[in-house]
Amino acid sequence: MDHVRNDEVSQWWRTSITEVKPNSIRLRGYAVEELIGRIGFIDMLWLLVRGDLPTAPQARLLESAMLGGVDHGPHAPSIAIARMAVTCGVGMNTAVAEGIGVLGDIHGGAIEQSMELLRGLVNDETSTGDLLSLGQDVFERSQAYGGFVPGYGHRFHKRDPRSPRVLELASQAAQEGVIDGKFVHMAQRVEDAIAAVKGKPIPMNVDAAAGAVYLELGFEPPMGRALLVLSRSLGVIAHAWEQSGRKERIKGPVPKSSDYAYEGPAPRSLIDR
Ligand SMILES: CC(C)(COP(=O)(O)OP(=O)(O)OC[C@H]1O[C@@H](n2cnc3c(N)ncnc32)[C@H](O)[C@@H]1OP(=O)(O)O)[C@@H](O)C(=O)NCCC(=O)NCCS
C-alpha cells in the first residue's frame, strides 16, 4: 500500500527538464556546474526549453531578435506601469510582474498573433498569389485580431528601426543556411501586401520581425510571447531600478496638474431629489 502511494507521489510532477538529487542538479542531463562558465544565457534558455543546445549561429540569431524587444522607454505601458508601481512602494518582483503583465495582444504580446498569422500564411502557401490577393487574405485573417494586422504599425514610429536590422541578420542567416527564410520572406511580403490594400505603408514592427525569426528557429507562437516577456524584462528591471532610486511617491500616469476628460453626469444632489 505504501509502495503504491509513493509511486503516485513520485509521478505527481513529471519533467524531462531538471533532475535534482542531494548535491546534484542536472539540466536536460548536464550537470549544472559543467554548464556554468561553458555556455551562455541564450544557450541555457534553448537547452531548457528545447531539450538540447543550439548551434552558435542559432543562438546568435535568437539573441539578436530578443535584443530588439528589451525596452521602449516610458512611452511603453509595460515600462510606465513598472515605474508607477515602484512609486507606490512595491518591491522589484511586483514592479516587474506589473510591467510584463500588460504585454497583451496589442502591446508586445502581438508577437504571438503575428507568428500565428505568418505560420498560417506560409502553411497555406498564400505567398504564391499576387500582392493584392495576399493582402486581402491577410486582412481577412486579421479579423480574428480586431482587424489590425498583428506585427505591423507602431504608435510612435513611422518606421520601427528595429525591424530592418533584425530582418537583415535573419536574411544573412538564411543565406548561410542557418534558417530556411520562408517566414522572414513572408513577413516582408505581408508588409508590401498591406500597402497594396491600404494604399499606404503600415510598416512592420519588431514583433513581426522577431516573430518571423522565432518561427524560423522552430519556436511555437505562445513561446514567442514568452521570449518577448523575457526580453522586455530587461528594460522593465532597468526602469524599475532607476525609478526606485528617485524616491518619488505615488506617481500617476499624468502629472496631477493635468486634467482628464470627465464624461459622467453633471453635478447633482441626493437631497434635491
Ligand atoms: C500599434 C498600433 C496600436 C498603433 O496604432 P495607431 O496608433 O492607431 O497607428 P496609426 O495612428 O499610425 O494608424 C494609422 C492608420 O493605420 C491603420 N493601422 C495601423 N496599424 C494597423 C494594422 N496593424 N493593421 C491594419 N491597419 C492598421 C489604422 O487603423 C489607421 O488607419 P486609418 O488612418 O485608415 O484610420 C497598431 O498599429 C496595431 O494595433 N498594430 C497591431 C498590433 C501590434 O503589432 N502591436 C505591437 C506594437 S509594437
Side-chain angles (χ1 to χ4, degrees):
M1 182 63 180
D2 261 3
H3 174 72
V4 173
R5 274 201 51 228
N6 279 342
D7 206 45
E8 189 189 346
V9 171
S10 68
Q11 290 299 304
W12 191 257
W13 296 116
R14 291 179 298 112
T15 176
S16 314
I17 303 171
T18 323
E19 189 185 24
V20 178
K21 290 183 175 157
N23 307 323
S24 163
I25 303 168
R26 286 189 173 271
L27 302 171
R28 297 287 191 182
Y30 294 109
V32 70
E33 65 272 23
E34 201 178 297
L35 296 169
I36 296 170
R38 288 192 176 85
I39 67 167
F41 192 72
I42 296 289
D43 299 312
M44 183 65 101
L45 166 65
W46 191 298
L47 175 67
L48 292 179
V49 173
R50 302 284 287 272
D52 224 328
L53 288 162
T55 63
Q58 284 173 327
R60 249 194 328 271
L61 184 61
L62 175 59
E63 187 170 17
S64 300
M66 287 180 69
L67 285 180
V70 292
D71 188 16
H72 201 270
H75 278 299
S78 48
I79 301 293
I81 286 169
R83 295 191 76 119
M84 275 194 279
V86 167
T87 72
C88 296
V90 304
M92 285 293 279
N93 59 332
T94 305
V96 172
E98 296 292 343
I100 64 172
V102 293
L103 293 172
D105 292 344
I106 300 166
H107 194 7
I111 194 169
E112 180 175 344
Q113 300 176 333
S114 182
M115 288 169 74
E116 277 171 9
L117 176 74
L118 293 175
R119 188 167 67 176
L121 292 168
V122 167
N123 286 349
D124 299 345
E125 293 179 344
T126 318
S127 55
T128 47
D130 64 292
L131 268 187
L132 201 58
S133 50
L134 171 61
Q136 280 155 354
D137 188 7
V138 164
F139 275 97
E140 220 162 272
R141 289 171 192 247
S142 296
Q143 288 312 310
Y145 312 121
F148 285 82
V149 186
Y152 296 82
H154 201 281
R155 186 132 284 174
F156 198 79
H157 305 292
K158 286 271 167 279
R159 154 78 44 203
D160 188 332
R162 302 164 291 185
S163 326
R165 179 62 179 151
V166 171
L167 290 188
E168 184 191 355
L169 292 169
S171 303
Q172 261 172 34
Q175 275 165 24
E176 289 159 10
V178 179
I179 55 173
D180 177 278
K182 59 188 179 199
F183 296 109
V184 172
H185 179 66
M186 180 56 87
Q188 281 164 324
R189 266 182 71 78
V190 167
E191 186 176 64
D192 297 339
I194 294 172
V197 171
K198 292 282 268 188
K200 62 175 182 181
I202 299 178
M204 187 188 313
N205 62 48
V206 73
D207 284 344
V213 168
Y214 297 157
L215 284 170
E216 296 283 354
L217 292 172
F219 288 95
E220 296 287 322
M223 269 306 297
R225 190 186 297 233
L227 293 173
L228 187 275
V229 164
L230 189 53
S231 157
R232 180 53 58 92
S233 295
L234 269 66
V236 169
I237 287 170
H239 282 271
W241 182 241
E242 182 184 61
Q243 186 61 48
S244 71
R246 296 275 158 90
K247 307 295 176 217
E248 291 164 316
R249 296 162 71 83
I250 310 190
K251 264 185 109 164
V254 289
K256 65 179 179 193
S257 55
S258 54
D259 218 347
Y260 56 87
Y262 172 70
E263 297 180 329
R268 52 184 173 165
S269 166
L270 259 185
I271 295 157
D272 299 340
R273 247 153 83 132

